[in-house]
Amino acid sequence: MRPVVPDTARPGQESVWDYPRPAIAQRSDRHVLIEHHEVLLADTRHSVRTIETSHAPSYYIPPSDILMSALRRSTRQSFCEWKGNAVYYDVEIAGDVLRDVAWSYPSPTPAFAALRDHIAFYAGPFDECLVDGERVIPQPGEFYGGWITADLAGPFKGVPGSRYW
């Protein structure tokens, strides 16, 4: 396996290779917005973002800033060694059902207590996901839920060849 060479961070960028491992959660006042079929699904300046070496941030949004009537709990579950057990949600907007596109940690580990009752979304399935007005790029790979913005330098986990990073 070849060693990973981080991209050079330009002025105003942060390198995902400077993010910690294990992951951490931190409050964010960035403007996070999700729209689908011209319906505002989420709009907040009160998210919690998780950051981890080589990963784009995932933004967890409080339910008070989400159109909760569009979410339905699915049967999918997963486990994160740092955050605990996750549950998933389907989103239905204008008759379009997006399966397992959101997740949360109802009983997170103590280090991630700030995530309790917050919900994160994969960016790819939605018409528009924005951070501070910028359309995000979904983190590569089907598993990862990070949101890539121009203020991040990679490369990002999920690209071909990154399995063992």
Side-chain angles (χ1 to χ4, degrees), residues 16 54-59 123 129 131 134-140 145-157 159:
V16 296
S54 79
H55 293 259
S58 294
Y59 291 90
C129 293
V131 174
E134 177 188 347
R135 182 183 299 267
V136 305
I137 298 169
Q139 182 174 351
W147 289 22
I148 299 172
T149 51
D151 61 349
L152 299 175
F156 302 95
K157 178 83 171 173
V159 298

Side-chain angles (χ1 to χ4, degrees), residues 7-19 26 28-32 49-51 55-59 129-137 146-156:
D7 297 338
T8 301
R10 297 185 312 267
Q13 282 189 316
E14 55 187 37
S15 173
V16 296
W17 291 92
D18 292 335
Y19 288 167
Q26 55 187 205
S28 175
D29 62 0
R30 296 190 74 178
H31 187 200
V32 176
R49 77 176 191 159
T50 57
I51 58 173
H55 293 259
S58 294
Y59 291 90
C129 293
L130 307 173
V131 174
D132 290 338
E134 177 188 347
R135 182 183 299 267
V136 305
I137 298 169
W147 289 22
I148 299 172
T149 51
D151 61 349
L152 299 175
F156 302 95

Side-chain angles (χ1 to χ4, degrees), residues 2-68:
R2 293 188 339 235
V4 178
V5 177
D7 297 338
T8 301
R10 297 185 312 267
Q13 282 189 316
E14 55 187 37
S15 173
V16 296
W17 291 92
D18 292 335
Y19 288 167
R21 184 168 176 89
I24 62 169
Q26 55 187 205
R27 303 256 177 221
S28 175
D29 62 0
R30 296 190 74 178
H31 187 200
V32 176
L33 187 137
I34 303 171
E35 286 189 9
H36 195 64
H37 293 306
E38 299 181 7
V39 173
L40 184 61
L41 176 63
D43 186 358
T44 192
R45 289 185 179 273
H46 305 286
S47 65
V48 177
R49 77 176 191 159
T50 57
I51 58 173
E52 175 184 352
T53 304
S54 79
H55 293 259
S58 294
Y59 291 90
Y60 290 78
I61 302 169
S64 59
D65 294 339
I66 298 170
L67 178 64
M68 292 300 295

